[in-house]
Amino acid sequence: MNTHTPLQNWRQLPSIWDIADEIAWLVDGLIPQGGFTIWSADSGTGKSWLAYAIAGAVSQGIPLIGKKTTQRRVLYVDGENPAAIVKRNLSDLAIPRTGQVQVWGGWVRDA
C-alpha cells in the first residue's frame, strides 16, 4: 500500500537544511554515489579516457589517482567512439574483460 502523498506545490518540498547531509562516495571526494556527473571540455582533451579510467577503477574497486573507490558494476554508454577505439582504451588502461564493465555504443544493434 502506497501511503506517499504527491507534492501539490513547491512549498511542500522539504528544506534542504533538514535533509541528511552525509555523502557516500563512489570515488572519494570526487563522484558521489547516486549523483549525476558530467565532464565537459574540448574535443580530444581526454574526457573519454578519464571516464573509462573511472569505470575501470570503480568496477574493480581499486584506487583512482590515489582516491578510494566503492566497487560497483559499471554500464558505460559511449555514443561517440567506434568499437575499435573503445577496445584500445580498455586495453591501454588495463581494464580486464569481466562482467563488471558493460559498454554500450553505436555498434550495438537491435536483434
Side-chain angles (χ1 to χ4, degrees):
M1 181 171 149
N2 185 356
T3 60
H4 177 74
T5 305
L7 294 175
Q8 299 298 312
N9 65 57
W10 67 271
R11 287 184 180 92
Q12 293 176 307
L13 289 171
S15 170
I16 188 66
W17 306 113
D18 297 331
I19 295 173
D21 60 357
E22 307 243 346
I23 301 171
W25 294 103
L26 191 61
V27 178
D28 193 34
L30 185 62
I31 301 175
Q33 290 186 43
F36 187 80
T37 303
I38 297 175
W39 303 102
S40 176
D42 290 334
S43 179
T45 56
K47 296 179 301 293
S48 293
W49 190 267
L50 173 62
Y52 275 109
I54 292 168
V58 168
S59 71
Q60 298 173 76
I62 60 174
L64 174 76
I65 58 171
K67 296 183 176 289
K68 181 181 172 213
T69 65
T70 300
Q71 186 174 16
R72 295 282 187 270
R73 286 190 70 201
V74 174
L75 170 62
Y76 190 108
V77 178
D78 191 324
E80 296 180 327
N81 295 305
I85 298 294
V86 171
K87 289 171 73 174
R88 182 202 65 191
N89 289 350
L90 293 171
S91 176
D92 288 353
L93 289 164
I95 298 172
R97 180 179 185 156
T98 70
Q100 292 299 106
V101 177
Q102 291 294 116
V103 181
W104 180 91
W107 60 87
V108 177
R109 303 285 181 230
D110 292 337

